[in-house]
Amino acid sequence: MPASDKTPPARSTPVRTTGPARTQVRPATEGWTQKKDAEGRPLLQFASPKRGKPPVHLADMTPEERIAKVKELGLPGFRAKQLSTHYFTHYTSDPAHMTDLPAEQREELVGGMLPPLMTEVRRLTTDRGDTIKFLWRLHDGALVESVLMRYPGRITLCVSSQAGCGMNCPFCATGQAGLTRNMSTAEIVEQIVRANRAIADGELGGKRASDHSMERVSNIVFMGMGEPLANYKRVMDAVRVMVAPQPNGLGMSARGITVSTVGLVPAIRKLADENIPVTFALSLHAPDDQLRDELIPVNSRWKVDEALDAAREYFEKTGRRVSIEYALIKDMNDHAWRADLLAEKLNARGRGWVHVNPIPLNPTPGSIWTSSDVDVQNEFVRRLNDAGIPTTLRDTRGKEIDGACGQLVATTEDEAAAAAMA
Ligand code: SF4
């Protein structure tokens, strides 16, 4: 829908493009060189490089396929449901725990249906123990991470959807090495099952002593490694497994699942047609193409207005309010006029359809990728709120252990630890 067709703002929003001169820091990589294409633009990688496929797992199959596979292994179809219950309800793949399966065929059945997908290489835990960052090694040695966080009233897992990433954002450690490969549906789901196992084993801290409830992951954010919409089919199949009622899936609420993207417009449109009411988040980080072209290279394919139009369409089709993610970076994208421009662009597309989550970066002395001053952050938020856009600064808990979105990367140490385990 062209912007001119949109509902006009309920009240005019002053746009200040001039004013006291503020420094404009331009995006640039630090300590690494961005790969470029033949035209000298940052290289974008959409296709997953060919690598050995991960083993096929129960979570990759539909319930019907699970029954067929169990029969193929020489057992009656109802065993598929028992296996699904062990995996999706008890979070186990250990044959020793499956005493309801015939002892003589148990190993073979479990080996065929629940093959090992990932090995825990290491975990980092905050002092309070209420945040855990897991580093996983996949069957082919690729490393991915997930971050488990306890908040009041919810437990959130930030999951990876790709090993590496092909979007080449200059601020992002994950993108540096490019895309290693797409993760399979089961590899995405396994991150949740393993997190649920850790919670069931009492490994996530912060639970009140008086609370004896059974806990599990309630919220998923696809803000770990990778661009989820670049691995569309497997991510959506994983979402279907997450929302399928137990024992065929994890029985989670779609509303608690946030799918985020840097702006792959055709995939946003496809997502809107799926009829699964997930929360949709657009990582915008700049309202003007001039800056966003450099900050988010995929902007060279789909511009700010196209991404916002697709986000608005998502709201229209699903009725779900869209989140705009905006990392505030000192003197790069935190100018007051950018807050005004963002408000203008959002209001031009109607009211009540969107909220903005500015994300303060960590202070990093000497880096251009550092946090905005607190008064600048507050001014940015105030301007959006005053223009009628609900805006809240986001919690950046994961950053305490270097696990927040866009910072997920396997360090050399992690690589060494994985190699030692191989
Ligand atoms: S910020 Fe996200 S989309 Fe960009 S390179 Fe990093 S993981 Fe990929």
Side-chain angles (χ1 to χ4, degrees), residues 164-169 171-176 224-227 262 296 405-406:
C165 183
M167 297 297 109
N168 209 357
C169 303
F171 55 86
C172 173
T174 300
Q176 284 179 31
M225 276 187 185
E227 158 54 55
V262 282
I296 308 286
C405 172

Side-chain angles (χ1 to χ4, degrees), residues 163-208:
C165 183
M167 297 297 109
N168 209 357
C169 303
F171 55 86
C172 173
T174 300
Q176 284 179 31
L179 177 60
T180 304
R181 71 166 167 88
N182 282 332
M183 292 175 73
S184 68
T185 299
E187 285 171 334
I188 296 168
V189 172
E190 172 87 350
Q191 295 171 78
I192 310 167
V193 171
R194 297 288 283 269
N196 280 338
R197 181 76 258 151
I199 297 166
D201 290 344
E203 292 163 5
L204 180 65
K207 188 176 184 181
R208 270 173 290 158

Side-chain angles (χ1 to χ4, degrees), residues 44-54 140 161-167 178-184 187 230-232 234:
L44 295 169
Q45 246 180 305
F46 289 96
S48 179
K50 295 256 172 299
R51 286 174 70 114
K53 287 211 167 100
D140 54 356
S161 55
Q162 298 180 306
C165 183
M167 297 297 109
L179 177 60
T180 304
R181 71 166 167 88
N182 282 332
M183 292 175 73
S184 68
E187 285 171 334
N231 185 15
Y232 188 87
R234 292 168 200 88

Side-chain angles (χ1 to χ4, degrees), residues 135-164:
L135 176 70
W136 307 108
R137 181 178 175 278
L138 307 182
H139 83 104
D140 54 356
L143 298 176
V144 298
E145 293 178 344
S146 27
V147 185
L148 182 61
M149 293 162 277
R150 181 192 293 282
Y151 293 94
R154 69 182 199 277
I155 298 178
T156 297
L157 184 71
C158 175
V159 294
S160 295
S161 55
Q162 298 180 306

Side-chain angles (χ1 to χ4, degrees), residues 339 342-343 346 356 358 379-389 391:
L342 177 58
L346 298 179
V356 177
E379 175 68 2
F380 199 90
V381 170
R382 187 190 67 72
R383 282 175 176 258
L384 281 155
N385 276 319
D386 283 359
I389 308 287
T391 303

